[in-house]
Amino acid sequence: MVDGSSSPKLTAEQAARFKRLAMPCLEPLLRTAKYLTHQTQEAEDLVQETMIKAMRSIDSFQEGTDIRAWLMTILHRAHIDAVRAGKRRSQTVSIDQAEMDVPARPDSTQEELRAGNEAPEVLLDRFTNTEVIEALRSLPEDIRWTLLLVDVEQMDHAAAAAVLQIPLGTIKSRAHRGRAMLHDRLSGWASQRGWLTRKESDHV
Amino acid sequence: MSEEPSPNDRIDDAVKTRLSRLREEPVETAELEHRLLALASETESATPRHRFFTGWRRLTATAAVVVLAALSGLVLMNLQVSPAIASPEQMVSLHDDATNHNPTAKSVTTIEQARRELVSQWNGVPELPEPPAGSLCGCCVHRVANRKVACLLLKDGQTPVTMMVGSTHDLRETEGDTREIHGKKFTVHRLNESRIVTTEQNGRFVALIGELPETRLLELADEIKF
């Protein structure tokens, strides 16, 4: 159970507003937290903390604006606070480090893999959701947040940029870079499993 | 004139599409939803609050708050210290949750893998006894009677069996028919088609839950290495 889980003591109107507006967003919040922390209990604690904060400040939410983005912003801050407080393990891998960590592929280059017979969509379909989540988890946290908001939750770039409090251009470049990193990571795994061979790519 | 998408664009699109499919993964929100709705429902009284207390009224109110806080603390401490009773209904419900489309279950085949996985989810996981050879197929952390327990998901042939492991500080067994095999005491419960065999060994509360004949479940319980 998270700290601060005590009842925020809402008025009846606030409670009704919270239930009507925020509760339908529970699933995307929990999914994002799960893919972020990779631990169900931590994810539930994080989302509970987020929702309690949302209950307390439900009066400040402007109806007609994007409630999911508002809640994701609280979740993002709660996650940062939790990581800073050392409550949760964080993937503090730098972007450069993560690129170096892509499994080694002797005798093959990224270009060779990209040029292989396996179309990227076909290759990606060979991985289970669990494996894709695992690969996602290995990316730096800012990249992971970007891909979770933009590609998994299908938020538009502007909304995702507002959640993460970064410029629009940065979110776009992070999304492209993140996708390439994820593909490289999965290609590395595919190569290790023998799904991609140099022979195949040499034919192309 | 239409241009062929570059390899990088194809990769970009393919990853984007693949990631969007992660939204199809089921997310179990029921328990959290229940907790949040309960929190949101604890609303303030509709009557307006008195903002100003004066003299003895403020003193009386402060004293009452202190007494109430002390009492609540005592009750809370008592609740936290006393083990909860795991009822057969709760254990069967846990078995159903653990074995039916459980998104939190992790696939494992050895007790070492299970330990690693469970410790990564819960620091306080109790020492796990070893289930019958070849039966282990998964694990997860769950709650019963609002206490955390480790669940080892087993298969006896095609029949799923849940081996629940908790600490006797947290959970105790409810009374039932007792059996003794090879010097070990077991308690048997029945609920509809389900059978439950529980035992307390070395500070651990262990339950085997499944739709198996009582004798078979007792055989499996006897094979557990504590």
Side-chain angles (χ1 to χ4, degrees):
Chain A
M1 192 64 72
V2 293
D3 296 332
S5 60
S6 58
S7 168
K9 292 288 180 201
L10 308 177
T11 63
E13 293 89 313
Q14 286 171 328
R17 195 158 180 255
F18 172 81
K19 287 177 193 173
R20 177 170 57 84
L21 295 170
M23 286 306 286
C25 296
L26 188 58
E27 189 174 323
L29 286 174
L30 193 53
R31 179 171 43 240
T32 303
K34 273 181 76 173
Y35 293 167
L36 199 65
T37 64
H38 208 62
Q39 294 191 16
T40 304
Q41 194 59 50
E42 278 193 17
E44 286 194 2
D45 284 352
L46 190 61
V47 173
Q48 181 167 326
E49 203 171 311
T50 300
M51 290 301 240
I52 288 171
K53 284 178 178 167
M55 280 181 208
R56 290 188 174 126
S57 42
I58 192 71
D59 285 340
S60 69
F61 174 71
Q62 275 189 307
E63 272 196 58
T65 58
D66 187 347
I67 182 77
R68 191 175 54 147
W70 185 69
L71 291 166
M72 286 291 186
T73 306
I74 301 175
L75 178 73
H76 181 234
R77 285 181 194 155
H79 182 245
I80 289 173
D81 290 346
V83 169
R84 280 188 187 149
K87 281 164 71 181
R88 297 185 175 87
R89 281 183 299 140
S90 165
Q91 291 288 318
T92 51
V93 189
S94 72
I95 293 176
D96 292 342
Q97 182 63 45
E99 283 172 342
M100 284 165 59
D101 286 347
V102 174
R105 285 163 284 170
D107 299 330
S108 67
T109 64
Q110 290 181 13
E111 285 68 34
E112 282 172 333
L113 291 173
R114 285 176 186 173
N117 283 342
E118 194 92 69
E121 52 272 28
V122 177
L123 173 73
L124 294 171
D125 278 348
R126 293 175 76 166
F127 289 98
T128 63
N129 281 354
T130 307
E131 288 167 330
V132 175
I133 293 164
E134 190 64 37
L136 192 58
R137 190 176 160 244
S138 70
L139 302 183
E141 207 150 275
D142 44 5
I143 294 282
R144 202 176 347 154
W145 262 106
T146 303
L147 294 181
L148 284 173
L149 296 180
V150 175
D151 288 348
V152 179
E153 295 306 325
Q154 313 263 287
M155 288 176 77
D156 63 48
H157 287 111
V163 169
L164 302 180
Q165 296 182 313
I166 52 174
L168 187 59
T170 308
I171 201 96
K172 287 181 181 173
S173 62
R174 273 190 196 171
H176 286 299
R177 195 172 183 190
R179 288 173 200 138
M181 287 168 75
L182 191 72
H183 181 261
D184 284 348
R185 187 128 318 190
L186 291 169
S187 297
W189 293 354
S191 179
Q192 285 174 345
R193 293 175 190 185
W195 294 351
L196 286 175
T197 62
R198 185 168 190 183
K199 197 178 171 189
E200 268 184 352
S201 53
D202 284 345
H203 284 297
V204 177
Chain B
M1 193 175 92
S2 65
E3 285 183 18
E4 273 286 301
S6 72
N8 282 340
D9 286 343
R10 276 191 74 189
I11 287 170
D12 201 67
D13 286 344
V15 174
K16 197 174 173 179
T17 306
R18 184 66 187 85
L19 284 174
S20 72
R21 286 193 2 234
L22 294 182
R23 289 214 302 175
E24 294 160 12
E25 279 279 297
V27 181
E28 177 52 56
T29 58
E31 195 184 334
L32 183 58
E33 187 176 349
H34 181 73
R35 286 209 301 268
L36 289 170
L37 287 175
L39 278 171
S41 299
E42 290 175 25
T43 53
E44 282 183 339
S45 162
T47 55
R49 280 179 290 176
H50 294 285
R51 290 179 184 275
F52 302 104
F53 287 92
T54 53
W56 65 270
R57 287 185 70 186
R58 175 180 277 184
L59 256 176
T60 316
T62 309
V65 167
V66 170
V67 170
L68 271 176
L71 283 173
S72 307
L74 282 173
V75 169
L76 203 63
M77 277 173 64
N78 192 39
L79 277 177
Q80 285 180 343
V81 170
S82 307
I85 301 293
S87 71
E89 289 79 8
Q90 287 169 322
M91 288 189 279
V92 169
S93 169
L94 172 139
H95 170 66
D96 289 342
D97 288 347
T99 53
N100 288 320
H101 310 293
N102 177 3
T104 65
K106 299 290 175 192
S107 182
V108 292
T109 50
T110 68
I111 194 67
E112 287 75 23
Q113 287 174 347
R115 279 192 191 110
R116 276 197 299 275
E117 182 57 45
L118 292 171
V119 164
S120 77
Q121 295 183 36
W122 175 26
N123 285 337
V125 69
E127 185 61 31
L128 299 173
E130 198 164 331
S135 63
L136 182 60
C137 57
C139 67
C140 62
V141 174
H142 223 287
R143 278 179 188 271
V144 67
N146 210 25
R147 306 294 163 98
K148 269 187 180 178
V149 290
C151 292
L152 298 180
L153 310 177
L154 317 180
K155 277 275 169 82
D156 184 51
Q158 291 303 307
T159 309
V161 176
T162 301
M163 179 169 146
M164 182 188 99
V165 185
S167 162
T168 50
H169 291 299
D170 292 334
L171 283 172
R172 301 308 293 263
E173 57 186 352
T174 184
E175 284 182 14
D177 296 340
T178 53
R179 303 275 187 277
E180 187 164 334
I181 308 172
H182 300 129
K184 288 178 276 190
K185 284 185 182 162
F186 298 100
T187 306
V188 179
H189 302 279
R190 301 163 195 88
L191 187 70
N192 302 325
E193 301 302 310
S194 298
R195 298 291 177 268
I196 305 156
V197 172
T198 64
T199 185
E200 292 183 4
Q201 303 278 341
N202 309 329
R204 286 161 299 176
F205 172 67
V206 177
L208 279 183
I209 312 145
E211 291 187 7
L212 281 175
E214 183 180 315
T215 47
R216 179 60 190 148
L217 213 53
L218 278 164
E219 282 172 8
L220 291 174
D222 184 39
E223 288 176 38
I224 298 172
K225 290 177 190 157
F226 288 95

